[in-house]
Amino acid sequence: MTNRFMNQTLETRRRLLGRNLSIAYNDPVKVVRGSMQYLYDDEGREYLDAYNNVAHVGHCHPRVVRAGQEQMALLNTNTRYLSDLINEYASRLTSTLPHPLEVCFFVNSGSEANELALRLARSHTNARDLIVLDHAYHGNTTTLIDISPYKHNGPGGSGAPSWVHMVPQPDPYRSTHEDAARGYAQYVSQCIEGMGKSKLCGFIAESMPSVGGQIVLPKDYLALVYKAVRDAGGLCIADEVQTGYGRTGTHFWAFESYEVVPDIVVLGKPIGNGHPLGAVVTTREIADSFNNGMEFFSTFGGNNVSCAIGLEVLQVVIEEQLQAHALRVGGQTIAGLEELKSRHQIIGDVRGSGLFLGVELVRERTTLEPATEEANEVVNRMRDERILLGTDGPYHNVLKIRPPMPFDEGNAERLLKTLDSILSAL
Ligand SMILES: Cc1ncc(COP(=O)(O)O)c(C=O)c1O
């Protein structure tokens, strides 16, 4: 319950901070401490975090904290000096990616990484226009709002500029196409035909759209789209900010599950486990096109502390076998959610992979009328039971389950049991 101190915190925040910073839940949570898949509020209560994918290896994972502390006490400077640390980090990172993705750039956020990806694509193609998916979100800068329909077509938005071309988001659940992959890929081909080849710089998509509603793309969609884009001279950018680092369980990178290799991969959120870190990985050829005489420099991007943390996060993911863990616990969670779906009519669809899961709530399974208010209610009641979830998707009716990766079998059981009783009481 909101107490006097909480009201004070809220009031001060409203007075001093921009008011379009949103606050989760009707009854906000004031967290003061985190440990692995748990958060603790100012009264010492524990919450199961089933939502925050940034704390990928766990909130305040001791190895990551130590790596940051030790490097901070030793040196923290920029990329204009030689360092074995950045080389080792780049080497380990590229070893997780398929050939020919072998050149890294380090920045400070997913937004900066997407900005840079766009610059790389434009330098390489000498073209400007970009194809984006409806409902996509790629970051908070001016240009990224331009390529994010979720923002520029949402409240306060003013639409897309003429160089941005939006195609429908491939949504297997709501698809009316007989062959969803081909049906949705066709929009991209039509878009390219309509724009004239020489204008196309590329195509960007999350390998599994998250803001779009935790969507798993139809199996052959990306292969068909990548071919059409490349035939037209464009580059294919995979935004793996939410989906990378083993989260989807079957693969280390979500794009791998569709058997494609992008030209540029964009990384953010989990790679720093909460430390501001973003990266772009591309081919030598594309990186060389970008090396056109203008220096690329980011004051903090690739600094020693960021590299120490980034390297440790990567090693923890691998050594703790978190990808296999996500596959196992995610599989158990999906099976439990499917069982709930068999008893609760409101669950229209259960989807996802590993610990990247979505539960779409609908009022009617035939009309697919979104159960938006109900989804909001569920998330708030789960919060009251101290389990943190969120909603997303074009209709805000998809429950988002995307926990720190240490989320285990017992946590999954608790989430399923609580969700069951909340759905029964709705
Ligand atoms: C898919 C995707 N790309 C890019 C970004 C932007 O990352 P950041 O908030 O670190 O700038 C986000 C952030 O939510 C995201 O979800």
Side-chain angles (χ1 to χ4, degrees):
M1 283 314 253
T2 317
N3 59 32
R4 187 163 57 86
F5 299 109
M6 181 78 95
N7 284 338
Q8 241 172 38
T9 307
L10 263 173
E11 194 275 318
T12 308
R13 172 178 166 124
R14 287 206 181 105
R15 188 159 42 82
L16 295 174
L17 304 182
R19 292 191 185 167
N20 50 357
L21 288 174
S22 73
I23 301 176
Y25 312 115
N26 297 341
D27 185 5
V29 187
K30 184 175 176 184
V31 284
V32 295
R33 189 166 71 81
S35 175
M36 305 310 280
Q37 66 270 49
Y38 303 102
L39 289 168
Y40 299 85
D41 71 13
D42 53 342
E43 297 194 20
R45 287 175 296 226
E46 183 181 277
Y47 296 77
L48 173 60
D49 185 356
Y51 187 65
N52 288 290
N53 56 347
V54 174
H56 191 73
V57 299
H59 291 279
C60 306
H61 190 292
R63 278 184 58 181
V64 178
V65 172
R66 201 175 319 116
Q69 285 172 335
E70 284 175 4
Q71 186 59 45
M72 199 180 277
L74 189 66
L75 172 73
N76 195 18
T77 185
N78 65 61
T79 47
R80 288 197 179 119
Y81 304 95
L82 293 183
S83 155
D84 290 330
L85 196 50
I86 195 169
N87 291 351
E88 190 182 349
Y89 181 31
S91 160
R92 295 273 178 119
L93 186 57
T94 50
S95 76
T96 67
L97 283 154
H99 176 78
L101 295 164
E102 58 191 23
V103 182
C104 299
F105 295 87
F106 294 109
V107 289
N108 311 291
S109 66
S111 294
E112 275 187 65
N114 269 325
E115 280 279 349
L116 182 57
L118 195 54
R119 286 182 65 197
L120 285 161
R122 285 179 169 171
S123 299
H124 190 70
T125 59
N126 282 318
R128 185 173 158 80
D129 286 26
L130 191 70
I131 300 175
V132 304
L133 296 186
D134 196 2
H135 311 300
Y137 177 65
H138 296 293
N140 62 41
T141 64
T142 306
T143 305
L144 298 179
I145 298 297
D146 282 346
I147 70 165
S148 299
Y150 166 71
K151 289 290 182 194
H152 66 235
N153 284 341
S158 49
S162 58
W163 57 268
V164 174
H165 307 267
M166 189 183 81
V167 292
Q169 165 171 268
D171 178 345
Y173 178 56
R174 289 177 178 272
S175 168
T176 51
H177 298 282
E178 207 166 291
D179 177 340
R182 278 179 201 286
Y184 282 105
Q186 200 55 37
Y187 295 115
V188 175
S189 304
Q190 286 162 2
C191 180
I192 292 170
E193 274 165 35
M195 97 176 53
K197 285 186 178 182
S198 59
K199 286 174 71 181
L200 183 68
C201 124
F203 166 85
I204 186 168
E206 280 188 271
S207 306
M208 290 187 190
S210 181
V211 167
Q214 302 290 94
I215 305 271
V216 178
L217 299 173
K219 181 86 176 83
D220 296 327
Y221 174 76
L222 280 187
L224 293 165
V225 168
Y226 278 19
K227 177 162 186 336
V229 169
R230 284 171 175 153
D231 285 351
L235 297 183
C236 302
I237 305 172
D239 183 333
E240 287 271 344
V241 164
Q242 298 225 22
T243 49
Y245 267 40
R247 172 160 297 278
T248 59
T250 52
H251 298 83
F252 199 79
W253 303 102
F255 66 76
E256 291 175 299
S257 52
Y258 311 112
E259 291 166 23
V260 294
V261 179
D263 302 299
I264 301 174
V265 179
V266 175
L267 319 177
K269 295 183 192 281
I271 68 169
N273 209 52
H275 180 82
L277 184 52
V280 178
V281 188
T282 189
T283 66
R284 170 54 61 199
E285 206 190 341
I286 294 169
D288 284 349
S289 301
F290 183 57
N291 184 21
N292 58 5
M294 182 191 289
E295 181 197 13
F296 173 71
F297 179 65
S298 162
T299 300
F300 301 124
N303 72 69
N304 313 87
V305 171
S306 293
C307 288
I309 289 175
L311 183 57
E312 196 69 12
V313 172
L314 186 50
Q315 285 181 181
V316 170
V317 172
I318 291 165
E319 286 167 29
E320 295 188 0
Q321 298 177 13
L322 292 178
Q323 180 187 321
H325 175 84
L327 188 62
R328 197 170 56 247
V329 180
Q332 175 203 343
T333 314
I334 292 174
L337 290 168
E338 288 288 359
E339 194 279 322
L340 292 187
K341 183 179 157 193
S342 71
R343 289 187 289 110
H344 297 283
Q345 282 298 309
I346 195 169
I347 299 185
D349 192 33
V350 170
R351 55 181 175 251
S353 182
L355 289 173
F356 181 90
L357 301 172
V359 182
E360 179 151 358
L361 302 189
V362 291
R363 295 205 175 128
E364 251 297 332
R365 284 189 180 173
T366 44
T367 62
L368 310 190
E369 184 191 348
T372 303
E373 280 133 49
E374 293 87 340
N376 183 47
E377 177 79 16
V378 167
V379 161
N380 276 291
R381 290 205 194 166
M382 290 292 280
R383 173 257 173 266
D384 294 341
E385 299 299 323
R386 299 194 202 139
I387 299 177
L388 305 182
L389 294 177
T391 58
D392 233 322
Y395 312 104
H396 304 283
N397 65 326
V398 180
L399 305 179
K400 236 166 138 161
I401 304 172
R402 215 186 37 177
M405 297 277 271
F407 185 88
D408 62 23
E409 284 88 346
N411 298 145
E413 231 169 82
R414 181 176 155 212
L415 183 147
L416 291 163
K417 210 165 146 218
T418 313
L419 185 58
D420 188 13
S421 65
I422 286 172
L423 291 176
S424 302
L426 261 190

